[in-house]
Amino acid sequence: MPGMYRDRVKRGNKRRISFQRMIQLLAAAAFNGYALGFGKGKIFTGQTKLFCVPVLNCYSCPGALGACPIGSLQAALGSGKNRFPFYVLGLMMLFGVVLGRAVCGLLCPFGLVQDLLHKIPVPKLAVPKKIDRPARYVKYIVLLVLVILLPAFAVGNAGIAPPYFCKYVCPAGTLGGGIPLLLANPGLRQAAGWLLGWKSLVLLVILALSAVIHRPFCKYLCPLGAFYALFNRFSFYQMRFDREKCVGCGKCERACPMNVEVTKNINSPECIRCGMCKNVCPTGAVSSGFSCGKAASPDARETTPEM
Amino acid sequence: MRIKTSALRFGVAAAALGLTVFGVALGQHQEVFQKAVRICLECIGIG
């Protein structure tokens, strides 16, 4: 048994928290570090809210220390000032070009919620490719229509557009912002109406689906995931596949929660860089890391991301 | 292909930095702040 494989088997036998889960938990805690807010039913108002966090984390979550990029983008587009959102878009592009969808796989708190729900031991549903493939494009439509076009052009009487995605869809806002605030703040509870009912229904459906389908929101609906997907092929953080080490066992593709064809298209826009393929590979053919574009050493024989 | 990829990632990174700095110069970070420190009623399902 090769040494590396033996080590992996040994590690696999111990039930301990994975690197991915540890990063996810730390990120969720870091982005929502204002614990007092949950008790008071108030949100954080400190200077860190000048910055957008890279993940879908509602700025109305009582613990949130930063601003949500998707909420900020809609607010900027719908502000009625007809100004291009340089700051928010620049930050989002920066996160995208550095990490790509590693943000989804390693940092997003709502991704963590979906991952944990998928651990519930119920029969899992394999979405047929006929439905799965076209449905993956829905998130790009959500990004274009609900996050960009409607806030930019469908303005109300006051010349301001509502944040359509946040208002009608965002389950992360309902879970992280709506529910904790309504529980701790009786004044807000009295103001709740049909919209809260609709958003709670959306949240419940997504949470229920998460138990049977891996990360349904990330696969089909998340506009932020759609945005970062555009950067996946050339971001500084890349997945690498060494064809010379591959023994064709297919474990990587079976383990991939996003159904990426690891051996053919490892930096697919659908890859969330969760590292599952890397963890199960018995020969170490899959690796990941930051790349600045230097030529790979001949010994490494790493595949270059195809453009 | 690797050179193109490298040029693209550095080009996009530079553009992203430029946009961010230009946005800060326009004071757009303050607009983000003003929005983020108020409870967004639409976001939580009330507005």
Side-chain angles (χ1 to χ4, degrees), chain A residues 230-248:
Chain A
L230 304 174
F231 298 84
N232 240 18
R233 291 195 193 279
F234 60 88
S235 61
F236 285 96
Y237 188 78
Q238 289 279 298
M239 298 300 295
R240 302 188 196 100
F241 172 63
D242 187 340
R243 203 167 291 282
E244 300 292 319
K245 286 184 184 171
C246 179
V247 291

Side-chain angles (χ1 to χ4, degrees), chain B:
Chain B
M1 199 59 80
R2 183 171 280 273
I3 292 168
K4 275 186 187 172
T5 307
S6 178
L8 186 61
R9 67 166 67 116
F10 279 105
V12 172
L17 266 176
L19 286 175
T20 308
V21 171
F22 189 58
V24 171
L26 292 175
Q28 290 186 350
H29 60 304
Q30 289 295 345
E31 291 169 20
V32 167
F33 178 74
Q34 292 302 326
K35 175 74 182 165
V37 294
R38 295 193 180 98
I39 291 176
C40 168
L41 294 178
E42 290 101 337
C43 305
I44 64 170
I46 290 178

